[in-house]
Amino acid sequence: MNSPVPVMIPMDLWDEEGEGVIATWLCKTGERVDEGAALAEVMYEKASMEIAAPASGRLLILIEAEAPVHRGQLIARIEA
Amino acid sequence: MSVTKRRLTIAKAMSEAIAAAMDKDPSVLVLGEDIGRLGGVFGTTQGLLDRFGADRVRDTPISETAFIGAAVGLAASGMRPIVELMFVDFFGVCMDAIYNLAAKQSYFSGGRVPCPMVLMTSVGGGYGDAGQHSQCLYATFAHLPGLKVVMPSNSHDAKGLMLSAIADPNPVVFMFHKALQGMGWLGTVPGSIVHVPVEDYTVPIGRAQVAKPGQDITLVGVGITVHYALEAANSLAAEGIDAEVLDLRTIAPLDRDAIAASVRKTRRLIVVDDDYTSFGLSAEVMASAVECSVDWLSTPSRLAYPDVPVPFSPALEHPLLPSASKICERVRSLLRRRAA
């Protein structure tokens, strides 16, 4: 069995150290997602960016919408 | 083989529709406050400035009087402007251009000078922004001949209604509810985020849709109140009550046939409206319903925002808004009255 694939806030999503926020999850925990599908929208300094699924599988959300996030943070897992 | 779901927020769906129209037709332009570099305070114009440039996507000074007036002129001279009135509450300074110029242009010119403009504007409260940033004012605009008024409850309808609005030869007021936009700071109703096809399609203006079929009672909503009604219908189903939810999608022209069809079947009606109660959308829907011959099982009823300015304090504001639990209570009381 494959180990879960982490969904992270990419380190290059914004340049500074500041906090962003998960604006909204586009998918739910338990749902099957395809690699490349948009999973969530993240806001930083009023700019909105999408987080894409790094793999196909079942989504497990770890950080709920409206929570602050930083670059490199683990926000979900995708289980095969 | 699963088809990848393409979930979009209403904000993204609106941006995508505008981009598609701009791609096809160089006369489509966007004007407004913070619609360029920022992509719209409510995310309605994301990516447009980079893609189409500052000649077609123009940030304006804070003068609705000037830039909405300019849009009416642009529309009269062959362009198809889309303007954003950031909050519907700000209509006061630009209403002459909207209701005396845009709405009447085609009529006054014997149909020779159309006015193909879209006025998109945010509505609704619930997030503590007080009395000048939280109103809905559906009826204020829908009352005026020459204006069409639409409002999506989900991203699929947002894209289709926006493409219809841009193609329309006359002014369309495209309202969007802040709590459905998918901007984190306003909260987002998850039911508004649905699959949106990549290709272009239209949702016809003037056509309501049954969001959930049912037999026992009709719940009419538009925008966010559709989601309250669906949540209520879901709870009521557990009690054996089968509610139908009608999503108006267009406020003017109102789909009176869809209202009639639903109430003839259920013979009970509650209209849910987050705009002020008196002289409003809910009254118009009820009038349409009572004008058709229905042997009512209970008196048609409305659940709307009281006739007071929106308070700043959440402790005061939240109890005034319609909600799923208020709808459930009202439905139970209507059905009890019948049983008694």
Side-chain angles (χ1 to χ4, degrees), chain B residues 265-321:
Chain B
K265 178 174 67 171
T266 63
R267 300 194 286 159
R268 290 188 183 96
L269 172 68
I270 296 175
V271 188
V272 191
D273 184 5
D274 54 341
D275 195 2
Y276 303 123
T277 304
S278 296
F279 310 99
L281 172 64
S282 54
E284 189 59 35
V285 173
M286 285 169 72
S288 307
V290 300
E291 278 164 0
C292 50
S293 55
V294 173
D295 181 14
W296 295 101
L297 293 173
S298 61
T299 309
S301 167
R302 63 185 148 178
L303 210 165
Y305 196 91
D307 296 329
V308 293
V310 182
F312 169 67
S313 158
L316 297 175
E317 183 190 11
H318 288 179
L320 302 181
L321 290 164

Tab-separated table of all heavy atoms in Angstrom, chain B residues 265-321:
chain	number	residue	atom	x	y	z
B	265	LYS	N	-48.850	22.618	-7.602
B	265	LYS	CA	-48.564	21.253	-7.166
B	265	LYS	C	-48.609	21.145	-5.635
B	265	LYS	O	-49.250	20.261	-5.089
B	265	LYS	CB	-47.190	20.831	-7.695
B	265	LYS	CG	-46.753	19.435	-7.274
B	265	LYS	CD	-45.458	19.009	-7.945
B	265	LYS	CE	-44.284	19.854	-7.477
B	265	LYS	NZ	-42.985	19.329	-7.936
B	266	THR	N	-47.929	22.070	-4.942
B	266	THR	CA	-47.762	21.907	-3.485
B	266	THR	C	-48.879	22.591	-2.686
B	266	THR	O	-49.164	22.189	-1.561
B	266	THR	CB	-46.425	22.513	-3.021
B	266	THR	OG1	-46.450	23.921	-3.274
B	266	THR	CG2	-45.248	21.882	-3.753
B	267	ARG	N	-49.452	23.671	-3.240
B	267	ARG	CA	-50.520	24.451	-2.606
B	267	ARG	C	-50.122	25.051	-1.249
B	267	ARG	O	-50.968	25.358	-0.409
B	267	ARG	CB	-51.806	23.618	-2.490
B	267	ARG	CG	-52.304	23.174	-3.881
B	267	ARG	CD	-53.704	22.662	-3.851
B	267	ARG	NE	-53.790	21.338	-3.250
B	267	ARG	CZ	-54.912	20.838	-2.734
B	267	ARG	NH1	-56.017	21.552	-2.703
B	267	ARG	NH2	-54.915	19.619	-2.232
B	268	ARG	N	-48.833	25.158	-1.070
B	268	ARG	CA	-48.317	25.887	0.103
B	268	ARG	C	-47.087	26.657	-0.347
B	268	ARG	O	-46.327	26.183	-1.189
B	268	ARG	CB	-47.904	24.947	1.235
B	268	ARG	CG	-49.049	24.232	1.941
B	268	ARG	CD	-48.503	23.504	3.166
B	268	ARG	NE	-49.536	22.743	3.842
B	268	ARG	CZ	-49.746	21.443	3.637
B	268	ARG	NH1	-49.008	20.771	2.772
B	268	ARG	NH2	-50.694	20.810	4.303
B	269	LEU	N	-46.858	27.853	0.246
B	269	LEU	CA	-45.737	28.693	-0.209
B	269	LEU	C	-45.111	29.477	0.936
B	269	LEU	O	-45.807	30.113	1.729
B	269	LEU	CB	-46.245	29.692	-1.268
B	269	LEU	CG	-45.262	30.780	-1.712
B	269	LEU	CD1	-44.093	30.201	-2.489
B	269	LEU	CD2	-45.982	31.844	-2.542
B	270	ILE	N	-43.777	29.407	0.981
B	270	ILE	CA	-43.017	30.351	1.807
B	270	ILE	C	-41.943	30.965	0.909
B	270	ILE	O	-41.197	30.251	0.235
B	270	ILE	CB	-42.340	29.666	3.017
B	270	ILE	CG1	-43.395	29.098	3.970
B	270	ILE	CG2	-41.448	30.667	3.764
B	270	ILE	CD1	-42.801	28.303	5.121
B	271	VAL	N	-41.895	32.298	0.868
B	271	VAL	CA	-40.849	32.988	0.115
B	271	VAL	C	-39.775	33.432	1.111
B	271	VAL	O	-40.089	34.046	2.123
B	271	VAL	CB	-41.404	34.220	-0.634
B	271	VAL	CG1	-40.333	34.786	-1.548
B	271	VAL	CG2	-42.654	33.857	-1.420
B	272	VAL	N	-38.546	33.086	0.813
B	272	VAL	CA	-37.433	33.449	1.695
B	272	VAL	C	-36.631	34.542	1.000
B	272	VAL	O	-36.254	34.404	-0.162
B	272	VAL	CB	-36.532	32.230	1.991
B	272	VAL	CG1	-35.567	32.562	3.110
B	272	VAL	CG2	-37.370	31.006	2.340
B	273	ASP	N	-36.368	35.629	1.732
B	273	ASP	CA	-35.778	36.814	1.096
B	273	ASP	C	-34.901	37.527	2.122
B	273	ASP	O	-35.367	37.848	3.213
B	273	ASP	CB	-36.939	37.718	0.630
B	273	ASP	CG	-36.482	38.931	-0.141
B	273	ASP	OD1	-35.271	39.061	-0.412
B	273	ASP	OD2	-37.348	39.772	-0.484
B	274	ASP	N	-33.638	37.775	1.773
B	274	ASP	CA	-32.780	38.504	2.724
B	274	ASP	C	-32.797	40.008	2.469
B	274	ASP	O	-32.029	40.756	3.078
B	274	ASP	CB	-31.354	37.938	2.773
B	274	ASP	CG	-30.669	37.843	1.421
B	274	ASP	OD1	-31.358	37.855	0.381
B	274	ASP	OD2	-29.424	37.737	1.410
B	275	ASP	N	-33.694	40.462	1.574
B	275	ASP	CA	-33.917	41.899	1.392
B	275	ASP	C	-35.021	42.330	2.375
B	275	ASP	O	-35.706	41.491	2.965
B	275	ASP	CB	-34.343	42.149	-0.056
B	275	ASP	CG	-34.263	43.616	-0.474
B	275	ASP	OD1	-33.834	44.456	0.342
B	275	ASP	OD2	-34.636	43.906	-1.620
B	276	TYR	N	-35.193	43.640	2.520
B	276	TYR	CA	-36.230	44.164	3.413
B	276	TYR	C	-37.599	43.557	3.086
B	276	TYR	O	-37.897	43.270	1.933
B	276	TYR	CB	-36.310	45.690	3.287
B	276	TYR	CG	-35.001	46.390	3.570
B	276	TYR	CD1	-34.408	47.230	2.628
B	276	TYR	CD2	-34.339	46.205	4.783
B	276	TYR	CE1	-33.210	47.882	2.887
B	276	TYR	CE2	-33.139	46.855	5.050
B	276	TYR	CZ	-32.576	47.685	4.098
B	276	TYR	OH	-31.389	48.316	4.348
B	277	THR	N	-38.434	43.419	4.108
B	277	THR	CA	-39.717	42.736	3.953
B	277	THR	C	-40.715	43.501	3.074
B	277	THR	O	-41.290	42.936	2.147
B	277	THR	CB	-40.370	42.516	5.338
B	277	THR	OG1	-39.449	41.796	6.150
B	277	THR	CG2	-41.669	41.742	5.214
B	278	SER	N	-40.888	44.786	3.395
B	278	SER	CA	-42.024	45.506	2.796
B	278	SER	C	-41.742	45.952	1.371
B	278	SER	O	-40.634	46.402	1.065
B	278	SER	CB	-42.378	46.721	3.643
B	278	SER	OG	-42.821	46.280	4.909
B	279	PHE	N	-42.719	45.837	0.496
B	279	PHE	CA	-42.654	46.302	-0.894
B	279	PHE	C	-41.528	45.607	-1.658
B	279	PHE	O	-40.896	46.194	-2.519
B	279	PHE	CB	-42.468	47.830	-0.955
B	279	PHE	CG	-43.439	48.567	-0.092
B	279	PHE	CD1	-43.069	49.032	1.170
B	279	PHE	CD2	-44.751	48.744	-0.512
B	279	PHE	CE1	-43.980	49.677	1.980
B	279	PHE	CE2	-45.659	49.389	0.299
B	279	PHE	CZ	-45.281	49.854	1.550
B	280	GLY	N	-41.293	44.362	-1.343
B	280	GLY	CA	-40.096	43.712	-1.859
B	280	GLY	C	-40.326	42.531	-2.771
B	280	GLY	O	-41.449	42.242	-3.210
B	281	LEU	N	-39.226	41.823	-3.024
B	281	LEU	CA	-39.237	40.627	-3.867
B	281	LEU	C	-40.214	39.580	-3.331
B	281	LEU	O	-40.953	38.959	-4.100
B	281	LEU	CB	-37.815	40.040	-3.914
B	281	LEU	CG	-37.638	38.683	-4.574
B	281	LEU	CD1	-37.994	38.738	-6.050
B	281	LEU	CD2	-36.202	38.201	-4.411
B	282	SER	N	-40.223	39.406	-2.002
B	282	SER	CA	-41.091	38.377	-1.434
B	282	SER	C	-42.561	38.711	-1.712
B	282	SER	O	-43.357	37.828	-2.027
B	282	SER	CB	-40.845	38.228	0.068
B	282	SER	OG	-40.971	39.471	0.714
B	283	ALA	N	-42.909	39.988	-1.635
B	283	ALA	CA	-44.296	40.396	-1.915
B	283	ALA	C	-44.647	40.131	-3.369
B	283	ALA	O	-45.761	39.699	-3.694
B	283	ALA	CB	-44.478	41.878	-1.591
B	284	GLU	N	-43.701	40.374	-4.268
B	284	GLU	CA	-43.950	40.172	-5.693
B	284	GLU	C	-44.156	38.684	-6.006
B	284	GLU	O	-45.041	38.313	-6.778
B	284	GLU	CB	-42.790	40.747	-6.512
B	284	GLU	CG	-43.043	40.775	-8.004
B	284	GLU	CD	-44.266	41.607	-8.391
B	284	GLU	OE1	-44.528	42.631	-7.733
B	284	GLU	OE2	-44.963	41.222	-9.358
B	285	VAL	N	-43.346	37.840	-5.396
B	285	VAL	CA	-43.486	36.395	-5.613
B	285	VAL	C	-44.836	35.931	-5.076
B	285	VAL	O	-45.555	35.163	-5.721
B	285	VAL	CB	-42.326	35.614	-4.957
B	285	VAL	CG1	-42.569	34.108	-5.035
B	285	VAL	CG2	-40.999	35.972	-5.627
B	286	MET	N	-45.204	36.430	-3.883
B	286	MET	CA	-46.503	36.049	-3.315
B	286	MET	C	-47.653	36.534	-4.180
B	286	MET	O	-48.631	35.802	-4.395
B	286	MET	CB	-46.649	36.611	-1.900
B	286	MET	CG	-45.833	35.844	-0.883
B	286	MET	SD	-45.769	36.688	0.692
B	286	MET	CE	-47.417	36.444	1.263
B	287	ALA	N	-47.540	37.758	-4.714
B	287	ALA	CA	-48.597	38.284	-5.589
B	287	ALA	C	-48.751	37.382	-6.819
B	287	ALA	O	-49.866	37.034	-7.211
B	287	ALA	CB	-48.267	39.714	-6.013
B	288	SER	N	-47.630	36.991	-7.412
B	288	SER	CA	-47.691	36.103	-8.582
B	288	SER	C	-48.379	34.797	-8.227
B	288	SER	O	-49.153	34.260	-9.024
B	288	SER	CB	-46.282	35.751	-9.084
B	288	SER	OG	-45.544	36.902	-9.290
B	289	ALA	N	-48.103	34.298	-7.044
B	289	ALA	CA	-48.680	33.016	-6.631
B	289	ALA	C	-50.180	33.139	-6.398
B	289	ALA	O	-50.949	32.284	-6.828
B	289	ALA	CB	-47.979	32.509	-5.369
B	290	VAL	N	-50.621	34.214	-5.744
B	290	VAL	CA	-52.055	34.320	-5.444
B	290	VAL	C	-52.862	34.745	-6.676
B	290	VAL	O	-54.079	34.602	-6.696
B	290	VAL	CB	-52.367	35.253	-4.249
B	290	VAL	CG1	-51.708	34.750	-2.989
B	290	VAL	CG2	-51.975	36.684	-4.539
B	291	GLU	N	-52.169	35.259	-7.702
B	291	GLU	CA	-52.872	35.606	-8.935
B	291	GLU	C	-53.235	34.381	-9.771
B	291	GLU	O	-53.992	34.495	-10.727
B	291	GLU	CB	-52.031	36.599	-9.766
B	291	GLU	CG	-52.200	38.035	-9.292
B	291	GLU	CD	-51.135	38.986	-9.810
B	291	GLU	OE1	-50.238	38.547	-10.555
B	291	GLU	OE2	-51.203	40.171	-9.451
B	292	CYS	N	-52.643	33.233	-9.464
B	292	CYS	CA	-53.074	32.037	-10.194
B	292	CYS	C	-54.030	31.253	-9.293
B	292	CYS	O	-53.978	31.356	-8.078
B	292	CYS	CB	-51.890	31.196	-10.663
B	292	CYS	SG	-50.653	30.797	-9.462
B	293	SER	N	-54.913	30.492	-9.932
B	293	SER	CA	-55.945	29.859	-9.117
B	293	SER	C	-55.388	28.615	-8.436
B	293	SER	O	-55.065	27.625	-9.083
B	293	SER	CB	-57.166	29.522	-9.979
B	293	SER	OG	-56.761	28.730	-11.059
B	294	VAL	N	-55.244	28.745	-7.137
B	294	VAL	CA	-54.715	27.650	-6.330
B	294	VAL	C	-55.640	27.471	-5.131
B	294	VAL	O	-56.043	28.452	-4.506
B	294	VAL	CB	-53.279	27.967	-5.826
B	294	VAL	CG1	-52.799	26.903	-4.853
B	294	VAL	CG2	-52.309	28.102	-6.987
B	295	ASP	N	-55.988	26.266	-4.849
B	295	ASP	CA	-56.790	25.961	-3.672
B	295	ASP	C	-55.822	25.756	-2.508
B	295	ASP	O	-55.363	24.662	-2.233
B	295	ASP	CB	-57.610	24.688	-3.969
B	295	ASP	CG	-58.495	24.308	-2.797
B	295	ASP	OD1	-58.680	25.154	-1.897
B	295	ASP	OD2	-58.964	23.157	-2.782
B	296	TRP	N	-55.485	26.869	-1.858
B	296	TRP	CA	-54.393	26.851	-0.879
B	296	TRP	C	-54.688	25.951	0.318
B	296	TRP	O	-55.786	25.972	0.862
B	296	TRP	CB	-54.102	28.264	-0.378
B	296	TRP	CG	-53.580	29.170	-1.446
B	296	TRP	CD1	-54.294	30.115	-2.136
B	296	TRP	CD2	-52.256	29.201	-1.974
B	296	TRP	NE1	-53.489	30.742	-3.069
B	296	TRP	CE2	-52.228	30.203	-2.987
B	296	TRP	CE3	-51.086	28.498	-1.711
B	296	TRP	CZ2	-51.079	30.506	-3.714
B	296	TRP	CZ3	-49.945	28.807	-2.432
B	296	TRP	CH2	-49.945	29.784	-3.424
B	297	LEU	N	-53.682	25.206	0.719
B	297	LEU	CA	-53.766	24.396	1.942
B	297	LEU	C	-53.343	25.212	3.156
B	297	LEU	O	-53.710	24.910	4.287
B	297	LEU	CB	-52.871	23.159	1.821
B	297	LEU	CG	-53.306	22.132	0.766
B	297	LEU	CD1	-52.250	21.058	0.621
B	297	LEU	CD2	-54.648	21.528	1.147
B	298	SER	N	-52.514	26.244	2.917
B	298	SER	CA	-52.188	27.186	3.993
B	298	SER	C	-51.904	28.535	3.343
B	298	SER	O	-51.617	28.615	2.154
B	298	SER	CB	-50.978	26.700	4.796
B	298	SER	OG	-49.843	26.589	3.965
B	299	THR	N	-52.012	29.598	4.125
B	299	THR	CA	-51.830	30.942	3.592
B	299	THR	C	-50.384	31.146	3.146
B	299	THR	O	-49.466	30.824	3.906
B	299	THR	CB	-52.159	31.978	4.692
B	299	THR	OG1	-53.429	31.641	5.237
B	299	THR	CG2	-52.180	33.385	4.149
B	300	PRO	N	-50.158	31.665	1.942
B	300	PRO	CA	-48.780	31.962	1.522
B	300	PRO	C	-48.108	32.915	2.508
B	300	PRO	O	-48.760	33.790	3.087
B	300	PRO	CB	-48.959	32.624	0.149
B	300	PRO	CG	-50.257	32.110	-0.354
B	300	PRO	CD	-51.121	31.927	0.872
B	301	SER	N	-46.826	32.729	2.662
B	301	SER	CA	-46.137	33.398	3.754
B	301	SER	C	-44.746	33.825	3.300
B	301	SER	O	-44.165	33.215	2.391
B	301	SER	CB	-46.067	32.380	4.898
B	301	SER	OG	-45.198	32.774	5.894
B	302	ARG	N	-44.222	34.864	3.922
B	302	ARG	CA	-42.858	35.286	3.567
B	302	ARG	C	-41.984	35.381	4.809
B	302	ARG	O	-42.476	35.677	5.906
B	302	ARG	CB	-42.863	36.620	2.832
B	302	ARG	CG	-43.407	37.748	3.672
B	302	ARG	CD	-43.507	39.036	2.894
B	302	ARG	NE	-44.639	39.824	3.366
B	302	ARG	CZ	-44.947	41.023	2.896
B	302	ARG	NH1	-44.231	41.567	1.955
B	302	ARG	NH2	-45.977	41.667	3.373
B	303	LEU	N	-40.715	35.112	4.568
B	303	LEU	CA	-39.736	35.167	5.640
B	303	LEU	C	-38.607	36.049	5.112
B	303	LEU	O	-37.795	35.614	4.296
B	303	LEU	CB	-39.222	33.749	5.904
B	303	LEU	CG	-38.770	33.374	7.289
B	303	LEU	CD1	-38.661	31.881	7.405
B	303	LEU	CD2	-37.478	34.033	7.672
B	304	ALA	N	-38.601	37.312	5.507
B	304	ALA	CA	-37.657	38.263	4.921
B	304	ALA	C	-36.980	39.082	6.015
B	304	ALA	O	-37.263	38.913	7.204
B	304	ALA	CB	-38.383	39.162	3.931
B	305	TYR	N	-36.099	39.950	5.598
B	305	TYR	CA	-35.360	40.800	6.538
B	305	TYR	C	-36.276	41.908	7.048
B	305	TYR	O	-36.999	42.520	6.267
B	305	TYR	CB	-34.144	41.401	5.814
B	305	TYR	CG	-33.121	41.953	6.757
B	305	TYR	CD1	-32.091	41.153	7.223
B	305	TYR	CD2	-33.213	43.267	7.204
B	305	TYR	CE1	-31.166	41.649	8.110
B	305	TYR	CE2	-32.291	43.764	8.102
B	305	TYR	CZ	-31.268	42.955	8.550
B	305	TYR	OH	-30.358	43.443	9.443
B	306	PRO	N	-36.295	42.163	8.350
B	306	PRO	CA	-37.196	43.200	8.872
B	306	PRO	C	-36.866	44.589	8.305
B	306	PRO	O	-35.759	44.811	7.831
B	306	PRO	CB	-36.958	43.178	10.383
B	306	PRO	CG	-36.097	42.020	10.651
B	306	PRO	CD	-35.476	41.555	9.388
B	307	ASP	N	-37.828	45.482	8.375
B	307	ASP	CA	-37.664	46.822	7.800
B	307	ASP	C	-36.855	47.740	8.712
B	307	ASP	O	-37.353	48.764	9.185
B	307	ASP	CB	-39.049	47.435	7.538
B	307	ASP	CG	-39.822	46.641	6.502
B	307	ASP	OD1	-39.181	46.055	5.612
B	307	ASP	OD2	-41.065	46.606	6.585
B	308	VAL	N	-35.610	47.349	8.942
B	308	VAL	CA	-34.709	48.195	9.751
B	308	VAL	C	-33.341	48.202	9.083
B	308	VAL	O	-32.982	47.244	8.395
B	308	VAL	CB	-34.555	47.662	11.199
B	308	VAL	CG1	-35.845	47.773	11.965
B	308	VAL	CG2	-34.028	46.226	11.215
B	309	PRO	N	-32.549	49.266	9.283
B	309	PRO	CA	-31.184	49.255	8.745
B	309	PRO	C	-30.390	48.080	9.343
B	309	PRO	O	-30.683	47.637	10.451
B	309	PRO	CB	-30.606	50.599	9.199
B	309	PRO	CG	-31.801	51.459	9.469
B	309	PRO	CD	-32.872	50.527	9.955
B	310	VAL	N	-29.399	47.589	8.608
B	310	VAL	CA	-28.627	46.431	9.067
B	310	VAL	C	-27.697	46.870	10.200
B	310	VAL	O	-26.865	47.763	10.024
B	310	VAL	CB	-27.798	45.844	7.899
B	310	VAL	CG1	-27.031	44.617	8.361
B	310	VAL	CG2	-28.704	45.509	6.712
B	311	PRO	N	-27.833	46.237	11.375
B	311	PRO	CA	-26.966	46.631	12.494
B	311	PRO	C	-25.526	46.155	12.292
B	311	PRO	O	-25.286	45.167	11.596
B	311	PRO	CB	-27.575	45.913	13.701
B	311	PRO	CG	-28.801	45.225	13.235
B	311	PRO	CD	-28.756	45.158	11.742
B	312	PHE	N	-24.604	46.851	12.923
B	312	PHE	CA	-23.193	46.476	12.847
B	312	PHE	C	-22.893	45.236	13.693
B	312	PHE	O	-22.203	44.327	13.261
B	312	PHE	CB	-22.333	47.658	13.317
B	312	PHE	CG	-20.886	47.310	13.537
B	312	PHE	CD1	-20.083	46.968	12.455
B	312	PHE	CD2	-20.335	47.322	14.808
B	312	PHE	CE1	-18.747	46.641	12.635
B	312	PHE	CE2	-19.002	46.986	14.992
B	312	PHE	CZ	-18.203	46.653	13.905
B	313	SER	N	-23.429	45.191	14.903
B	313	SER	CA	-23.103	44.112	15.829
B	313	SER	C	-23.653	42.777	15.336
B	313	SER	O	-24.846	42.658	15.055
B	313	SER	CB	-23.700	44.432	17.204
B	313	SER	OG	-23.848	43.234	17.946
B	314	PRO	N	-22.798	41.744	15.234
B	314	PRO	CA	-23.291	40.428	14.819
B	314	PRO	C	-24.399	39.907	15.737
B	314	PRO	O	-25.318	39.238	15.288
B	314	PRO	CB	-22.062	39.527	14.913
B	314	PRO	CG	-20.895	40.458	14.845
B	314	PRO	CD	-21.345	41.751	15.452
B	315	ALA	N	-24.330	40.266	17.035
B	315	ALA	CA	-25.349	39.811	17.974
B	315	ALA	C	-26.721	40.379	17.614
B	315	ALA	O	-27.747	39.771	17.895
B	315	ALA	CB	-24.973	40.228	19.393
B	316	LEU	N	-26.716	41.557	16.988
B	316	LEU	CA	-27.979	42.151	16.556
B	316	LEU	C	-28.344	41.747	15.127
B	316	LEU	O	-29.516	41.545	14.806
B	316	LEU	CB	-27.902	43.685	16.633
B	316	LEU	CG	-27.702	44.286	18.018
B	316	LEU	CD1	-27.515	45.795	17.922
B	316	LEU	CD2	-28.891	43.960	18.912
B	317	GLU	N	-27.318	41.636	14.269
B	317	GLU	CA	-27.596	41.367	12.850
B	317	GLU	C	-28.070	39.929	12.615
B	317	GLU	O	-29.057	39.700	11.918
B	317	GLU	CB	-26.352	41.631	11.990
B	317	GLU	CG	-26.651	41.420	10.492
B	317	GLU	CD	-25.426	41.434	9.584
B	317	GLU	OE1	-24.290	41.410	10.090
B	317	GLU	OE2	-25.625	41.449	8.361
B	318	HIS	N	-27.357	38.958	13.172
B	318	HIS	CA	-27.633	37.559	12.824
B	318	HIS	C	-29.073	37.119	13.102
B	318	HIS	O	-29.667	36.427	12.271
B	318	HIS	CB	-26.613	36.627	13.488
B	318	HIS	CG	-25.261	36.742	12.855
B	318	HIS	ND1	-24.167	36.026	13.273
B	318	HIS	CD2	-24.810	37.506	11.834
B	318	HIS	CE1	-23.118	36.345	12.532
B	318	HIS	NE2	-23.485	37.248	11.660
B	319	PRO	N	-29.667	37.515	14.227
B	319	PRO	CA	-31.052	37.084	14.463
B	319	PRO	C	-32.056	37.663	13.467
B	319	PRO	O	-33.171	37.154	13.356
B	319	PRO	CB	-31.359	37.602	15.875
B	319	PRO	CG	-30.045	37.886	16.488
B	319	PRO	CD	-29.115	38.239	15.372
B	320	LEU	N	-31.655	38.723	12.737
B	320	LEU	CA	-32.582	39.339	11.795
B	320	LEU	C	-32.580	38.651	10.435
B	320	LEU	O	-33.520	38.775	9.659
B	320	LEU	CB	-32.232	40.822	11.605
B	320	LEU	CG	-32.237	41.697	12.866
B	320	LEU	CD1	-31.884	43.137	12.506
B	320	LEU	CD2	-33.588	41.649	13.553
B	321	LEU	N	-31.508	37.928	10.126
B	321	LEU	CA	-31.376	37.293	8.808
B	321	LEU	C	-32.238	36.039	8.720
B	321	LEU	O	-32.465	35.358	9.717
B	321	LEU	CB	-29.910	36.907	8.567
B	321	LEU	CG	-28.921	38.054	8.353
B	321	LEU	CD1	-27.492	37.566	8.524
B	321	LEU	CD2	-29.112	38.684	6.981
